[in-house]
Amino acid sequence: MRAFLQRWMPSPTTASGAERLRAAIGALVGLLITAVLSHFVLSSSSATIFMVAPVGASAVLLFALPASPLAQPWSAIGGNVVSGLVGAACVRWLGDSLPLPLLCGVAAGAAIAAMFALRCLHPPGGAVALTTVIGGPAVHAAGFEFALLTVLVNTSLLVGMAIIYNNLTGRRYPHTQQAAHPNPHGTRDAVPTVRLGFKPEDLDAVLKQHDQVLDISRDDLESLFMKTEQRAYQRRFGIINCEDIMSRDIVSAEFATELEEAWQLMRRHHVAALPVLNRARRVIGIVTQTDFLDHGGLDSYGDIRRQLQRFLRKSGVTHTEKAEVVGQIMTHHPTTARLDTPIVDLVPLMADSGFHHIPVVDAEQRFAGIITQSDLVAALYESRFAEAAA
């Protein structure tokens, strides 16, 4: 009996206690403000109902599952309003000819078909259609106004609250579909991480073969597969952390380092980038040869030596629009790694996103070293060589 019951039990959730609390508080605040504003907005209109129950189900999706395709703004607003219109149409044109149980099924089924057709599938939409049918005289009297006024106002306000709350609490919403592995160099080549292993076309083929609606976006699903591959690699070849391979004796700059001095440092030490540190040795930026080229107007290559000398030379005046120090041309808030970050986590950043240098910081966020693409390639080569030799 226990084994039989376990087959019907859902798997344990992977959400942390903090995430559960975040979702619950979001639903509480979102529904409270939605109810108050809806009552204020609709009290001066002809609507006799200021709140509908299905928005409670919408709140579960919008605050607990903000990454779900079923919880996106068009899915929520379009799904609820379209379903309300379908339900009102069924009541008006079929209400006298069909028994109530059959009318409920027709309204819900037609609402699902409409949501599929308009790409706004939203589970609470079925409840909106059903509410329109069994809502009683007040809902029936409102007709299409029930969907176009009450449902629209309720859902729009709730979506607005979800946008504000989710983003304030660290959740990307709307969770728009991300571009599929854009090449940072603007060429037609696939990015390195999809040249081996499973490819996006493989995922598309499997999803088509699966032929079911998944409550997860395609890019999130692909990201999960990629991270699973990374963990499998770590388990097979061992974990190499950033502190194991990073360069430690690093030439760096400060915000106020003059451009000519920074350029000479890069030339003298044959490096292509300098981490920019503050006095507490925390990373505030990174300056690369590309930054000098971009800000120095050196992309024409006409007389590059003369242009570079003019850019590096101090202007000699107190007020100028010309960049004078590293802090004016550096990349602010660069991507960093921690000492204990596994190097396989850096592969997508360096291979796909075009990063050539990643500063490494310690537990106190102080600069500890830097990893270049050469360091990463060497480490991965050595790990595979050691595995083959064993």
Side-chain angles (χ1 to χ4, degrees):
M1 177 61 68
R2 182 178 180 182
F4 173 79
L5 293 176
Q6 285 179 340
R7 288 198 297 267
W8 292 88
M9 291 291 291
S11 301
T13 179
T14 57
S16 65
E19 173 60 18
R20 299 178 199 182
L21 183 62
R22 187 201 69 82
I25 293 176
L28 186 156
V29 173
L31 286 171
L32 174 62
I33 296 179
T34 295
V36 171
L37 293 180
S38 294
H39 186 271
F40 175 77
V41 171
L42 297 175
S43 61
S44 59
S45 69
S46 58
T48 58
I49 302 172
F50 76 92
M51 196 75 171
V52 293
V55 297
S58 294
V60 175
L61 287 170
L62 269 60
F63 294 98
L65 303 169
S68 168
L70 308 179
Q72 301 315 298
W74 169 239
S75 297
I77 298 174
N80 281 349
V81 173
V82 166
S83 297
L85 293 174
V86 169
C90 289
V91 170
R92 172 167 295 189
W93 295 318
L94 300 176
D96 296 331
S97 57
L98 294 179
L100 183 59
L102 180 57
L103 186 63
C104 291
V106 169
I112 292 173
M115 287 188 287
F116 265 121
L118 296 174
R119 298 174 61 182
C120 58
L121 191 64
H122 187 62
V128 173
L130 193 61
T131 299
T132 309
V133 173
I134 64 174
V139 175
H140 294 169
F144 294 110
E145 187 181 84
F146 174 72
L148 295 174
L149 192 59
T150 305
V151 174
L152 177 59
V153 169
N154 285 174
T155 311
S156 298
L157 289 172
L158 190 66
V159 167
M161 288 303 307
I163 292 173
I164 296 172
Y165 182 82
N166 282 319
N167 284 282
L168 286 178
T169 55
R171 296 292 178 268
R172 176 165 58 93
Y173 185 82
H175 195 86
T176 53
Q177 185 77 22
Q178 300 297 295
H181 307 291
N183 191 308
H185 306 295
T187 63
R188 291 191 297 271
D189 283 332
V191 292
T193 55
V194 300
R195 296 176 194 170
L196 296 174
F198 85 89
K199 301 181 183 299
E201 303 83 57
D202 299 328
L203 179 59
D204 292 336
V206 171
L207 289 175
K208 185 175 181 180
Q209 184 180 14
H210 188 65
D211 195 27
Q212 293 185 39
V213 176
L214 295 179
D215 195 13
I216 183 173
S217 65
R218 185 199 172 285
D219 58 332
D220 281 348
L221 186 61
E222 185 173 349
S223 176
L224 288 173
F225 283 144
M226 289 289 189
K227 291 178 180 178
T228 302
E229 279 193 337
Q230 292 176 11
R231 289 188 65 87
Y233 183 95
Q234 292 177 14
R235 185 178 65 253
R236 182 178 179 185
F237 299 108
I239 299 178
I240 303 175
N241 294 330
C242 289
E243 63 179 332
D244 299 324
I245 69 165
M246 70 181 186
S247 301
R248 300 172 184 270
D249 184 17
I250 303 300
V251 181
S252 62
E254 297 181 352
F255 186 98
T257 300
E258 294 181 359
L259 296 180
E260 186 171 8
E261 180 184 350
W263 180 261
Q264 292 302 329
L265 281 173
M266 295 168 70
R267 296 277 291 173
R268 186 181 313 125
H269 293 277
H270 304 287
V271 295
L274 295 176
V276 183
L277 313 179
N278 61 16
R279 302 209 171 182
R281 292 194 61 78
R282 290 188 170 89
V283 180
I284 61 173
I286 189 168
V287 61
T288 67
Q289 290 179 348
T290 302
D291 294 321
F292 281 90
L293 295 175
D294 289 343
H295 290 270
L298 304 175
D299 50 359
S300 63
Y301 305 105
D303 186 1
I304 191 168
R305 180 183 295 274
R306 181 173 54 82
Q307 293 181 65
L308 180 58
Q309 289 176 344
R310 184 168 60 246
F311 176 63
L312 296 178
R313 190 182 302 119
K314 293 182 65 174
S315 62
V317 297
T318 57
H319 297 83
T320 176
E321 294 182 0
K322 174 186 172 297
E324 298 280 338
V325 297
V326 165
Q328 294 175 284
I329 69 170
M330 69 181 184
T331 299
H332 295 264
H333 310 296
T335 297
T336 60
R338 294 173 61 92
L339 290 171
D340 58 354
T341 299
I343 62 170
V344 294
D345 291 351
L346 306 184
V347 172
L349 294 174
M350 289 189 163
D352 297 351
S353 301
F355 291 102
H356 298 276
H357 310 81
I358 297 182
V360 182
V361 298
D362 60 18
E364 297 180 350
Q365 296 299 308
R366 299 182 190 277
F367 178 70
I370 199 166
I371 289 181
T372 67
Q373 287 182 331
S374 299
D375 297 327
L376 188 64
V377 170
L380 294 175
Y381 170 78
E382 288 295 334
S383 68
R384 294 298 299 268
F385 183 77
E387 189 270 343

